[in-house]
């Protein structure tokens, strides 16, 4: 086998795992750090490659920029610290008290879901290793799959029954046509217990609208899940303004929300006594640019992003020197998801044009369009407003000079030098 016929240096594993099934979650947990980034090559090495190897390497670089790792920020570290502590503490409880939950709020594209899933996956890694991958709560004579974490997306038009079915679908548990709500709730309780689930993540919880009776009943049911000895983690856009906390009391000092006991707990007998439900409310905010310290924090994040890029003319400080930090902030409002999208599209253009570096002029040609993004509900605030280019870059329709970055000057030019 020749060098050009060797295997592609990175694997196309198909679409990303669907985390809302137990199999998909386990695939995500096992593979979340496994993507191999493209090697760093200089222009001379790239030119020595055959055309096929150049194409493959460029494709690998594009894939690298499309799969940038999750970079920690001061905001995400605060969320991770609180969330990890709450899940671990509740998992170690041996009494029958209702487990306190966590609400993670913030704007769209600010990395809430990825941060929560990373914390939960890391907890599951440790929990499985601690128990030698065995479920101590499994019934004798059975081999129930051990699933310490369950990730479920709130249905767009959530109702109590559809929410229960979404949880049961995560486990692949049977759902029969004639099952009424009490049957579904009991089946959810059985599935959570039999699979040893310690954390139930409900994403996009702000799809619930409190002016709808079905949504009020769904939130009431969600609170009842806290009686099932799991840490309930609710993830949503701007939870304080969504109406979800309208029945609760918020303590600004402890950042805890206290909600009344659910009606479903009384109706379906999920617990013997009625207790208030407590949630820690934590915000995963965007970067700010109002002080020297905040600017330094933003710039430090840009350093981390820059270190992950694979552009062959990317000098140190490409994203952090001159007016570039301010420009990137103006284009993204400090939202990490928008920054990732801008950089990803910019790197693709830099490779395709042969410019091999990110500049303000190049990024001015990039428009971030989030319209029609699958899996996002604009009505729930999941799609943020996107700042437009400033218009200070090259004018549309202006003739651009021909790219000569990868031109081979030939041996005569070298002899002339």
């Amino acid at each position: 086998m020749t060098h050009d016929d060797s295997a592609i240096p990175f694997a196309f594993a198909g679409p990303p795992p669907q985390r809302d099934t137990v199999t998909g979650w386990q695939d995500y947990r096992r593979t979340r750090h496994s993507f191999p980034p493209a090697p760093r090559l200089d222009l001379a090495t790239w030119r020595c490659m055959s055309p096929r190897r150049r194409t493959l390497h460029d494709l690998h670089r594009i894939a690298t920029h499309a799969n940038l790792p999750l970079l920690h920020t001061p905001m995400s570290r605060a969320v991770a610290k609180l969330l990890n502590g709450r899940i671990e503490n509740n998992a170690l409880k041996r009494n029958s008290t209702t487990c306190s939950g966590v609400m993670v709020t913030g704007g769209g594209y600010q990395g809430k879901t990825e941060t929560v899933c990373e914390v939960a996956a890391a907890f599951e890694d440790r929990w499985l290793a601690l128990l030698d991958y065995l479920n101590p709560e499994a019934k004798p004579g059975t081999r129930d799959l051990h699933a310490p974490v369950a990730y479920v997306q709130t249905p767009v038009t959530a109702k109590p029954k559809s929410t229960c079915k979404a949880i049961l679908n995560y486990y692949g548990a049977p759902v029969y046509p004639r099952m009424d709500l009490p049957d579904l709730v009991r089946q959810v309780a059985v599935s959570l217990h039999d699979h040893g689930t310690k954390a139930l993540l409900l994403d996009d919880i702000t799809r619930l609208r409190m002016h709808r009776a079905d949504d009020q009943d769904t939130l009431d049911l969600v609170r009842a899940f806290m009686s099932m000895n799991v840490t309930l983690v609710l993830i949503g856009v701007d939870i304080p303004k969504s109406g979800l906390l309208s029945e609760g009391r918020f303590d600004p000092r402890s950042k805890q929300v206290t909600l009344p006991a659910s009606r479903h707990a009384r109706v379906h007998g999920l617990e013997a006594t009625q207790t208030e439900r407590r949630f820690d409310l934590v915000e995963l905010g965007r970067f700010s640019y109002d002080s020297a310290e905040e600017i330094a924090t933003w710039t430090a994040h840009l350093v981390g992003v820059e270190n992950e890029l694979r552009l062959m003319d990317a000098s140190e400080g490409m994203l952090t020197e001159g007016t570039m930090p301010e420009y990137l902030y103006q284009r993204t409002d400090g939202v990490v998801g928008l920054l990732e999208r801008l950089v990803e599209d910019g790197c693709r253009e830099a490779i395709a044009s042969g410019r091999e570096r990110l500049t303000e002029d190049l990024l001015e040609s990039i428009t971030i369009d989030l319209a029609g993004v699958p899996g996002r509900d604009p009505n729930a605030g999941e799609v943020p407003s996107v700042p437009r280019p400033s218009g200070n870059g090259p004018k549309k329709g202006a003739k651009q000079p021909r790219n000569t970055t990868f031109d081979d000057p030939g041996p005569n030019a070298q002899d002339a030098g």
Side-chain angles (χ1 to χ4, degrees):
M1 180 181 293
T2 65
H3 179 70
D4 282 352
D5 293 331
S6 60
I8 295 177
F10 59 101
F12 287 106
Q18 299 298 309
R19 292 180 289 208
D20 56 356
T21 67
V22 67
T23 302
W25 173 267
Q26 290 182 347
D27 287 344
Y28 156 76
R29 181 178 59 81
R30 288 191 296 261
T31 64
R32 69 190 192 278
H33 300 149
S34 64
F35 181 84
R40 300 179 188 273
L41 301 181
D42 56 27
L43 184 56
T45 303
W46 185 89
R47 283 175 172 168
C48 290
M49 292 179 169
S50 68
R52 179 177 183 273
R53 295 304 298 179
R54 291 179 190 174
T55 299
L56 289 177
H57 179 67
D58 288 348
L59 190 59
H60 195 176
R61 291 194 291 150
I62 291 172
T64 299
H65 300 144
N67 293 277
L68 294 175
L70 179 67
L71 298 179
H72 295 295
T73 67
M75 298 79 74
S76 68
R77 289 191 185 96
V79 171
K81 180 179 179 181
L82 186 149
L83 181 60
N84 182 66
R86 180 64 61 227
I87 293 176
E88 283 193 344
N89 286 346
N90 287 343
L92 295 170
K93 287 182 182 296
R94 289 297 175 264
N95 53 37
S96 58
T97 58
T98 299
C99 295
S100 296
V102 179
M103 292 183 178
V104 180
T105 185
Y109 276 74
Q110 289 179 188
K112 300 181 299 300
T113 296
E114 295 306 317
T115 298
V116 170
C117 285
E118 172 60 31
V119 172
F123 161 77
E124 183 166 321
D125 288 339
R126 298 190 303 272
W127 192 254
L128 290 174
L130 177 67
L131 300 176
D132 291 329
Y133 296 84
L134 299 176
N135 182 3
E137 300 178 18
K139 295 180 180 179
T142 65
R143 295 175 60 87
D144 288 316
L145 181 67
H146 196 184
V149 173
Y151 171 85
V152 178
Q153 280 194 309
T154 305
V156 174
T157 54
K159 297 181 180 180
K161 282 189 175 182
S162 64
T163 303
C164 286
K165 290 178 180 179
I167 297 173
L168 295 176
N169 287 338
Y170 175 85
Y171 298 106
V175 177
Y176 302 108
R178 294 187 177 181
M179 293 180 73
D180 58 13
L181 183 57
D183 292 333
L184 290 169
V185 172
R186 282 192 290 270
Q187 186 67 18
V188 168
V190 169
S191 293
L192 291 170
H193 178 269
D194 288 352
H195 292 85
T197 301
K198 299 301 179 184
L200 173 59
L201 317 182
L202 290 181
D203 202 356
D204 302 321
I205 194 65
T206 43
R207 289 177 177 177
L208 299 179
R209 303 287 191 275
M210 292 302 98
H211 65 277
R212 297 192 297 232
D214 284 335
D215 293 36
Q216 294 174 20
D217 289 342
T218 301
L219 179 60
D220 190 53
L221 176 66
V222 166
R223 295 204 299 267
F225 292 154
M226 299 176 74
S227 301
M228 301 179 184
N229 296 319
V230 297
T231 300
L232 186 61
V233 182
L234 307 182
I235 311 165
V237 174
D238 202 356
I239 289 177
K241 293 183 180 179
S242 67
L244 294 179
L245 309 181
S246 58
E247 298 180 7
R249 303 190 309 273
F250 176 67
D251 185 347
R253 294 174 298 178
S254 64
K255 294 185 178 180
Q256 274 202 337
V257 178
T258 303
L259 294 170
S262 64
R263 296 183 300 273
H264 284 85
R266 293 194 291 272
V267 173
H268 304 309
L270 295 179
E271 61 181 8
T273 60
Q274 294 303 303
T275 59
E276 292 180 324
R277 276 30 179 188
R278 294 185 182 275
F279 286 90
D280 290 298
L281 179 65
V282 60
E283 180 177 5
L284 181 58
R286 61 184 181 87
F287 283 93
S288 298
Y289 208 81
D290 299 327
S291 67
E293 182 179 359
E294 291 170 339
I295 294 173
T297 302
W298 169 250
T299 304
H301 183 71
L302 295 179
V303 171
V305 174
E306 184 179 301
N307 290 337
E308 301 297 332
L309 305 184
R310 298 296 190 268
L311 299 178
M312 288 183 280
D313 192 32
S315 59
E316 184 177 355
M318 178 180 66
L319 301 183
T320 59
E321 294 182 351
T323 59
M324 182 62 90
E326 183 177 1
Y327 173 80
L328 292 173
Y329 188 85
Q330 291 173 346
R331 287 296 307 274
T332 63
D333 277 343
V335 176
V336 293
L338 297 183
L339 174 67
E340 180 179 310
R341 179 70 174 270
L342 179 63
V343 169
E344 176 187 339
D345 291 353
C347 286
R348 185 180 183 91
E349 175 62 24
I351 293 172
S353 66
R355 298 170 73 173
E356 290 292 332
R357 65 180 289 108
L358 296 180
T359 64
E360 293 182 31
D361 285 347
L362 182 145
L363 293 175
E364 278 290 297
S365 68
I366 305 297
T367 300
I368 303 175
D369 185 4
L370 303 181
V373 175
R376 300 272 182 168
D377 182 6
N379 295 325
E382 296 168 17
V383 180
S385 59
V386 181
R388 297 297 179 184
S390 63
N392 296 328
K395 293 184 179 179
K396 188 174 181 180
K399 186 176 180 180
Q400 300 293 319
R402 188 179 71 83
N403 167 48
T404 61
T405 302
F406 296 129
D407 285 357
D408 188 348
N412 292 335
Q414 295 178 4
D415 293 342

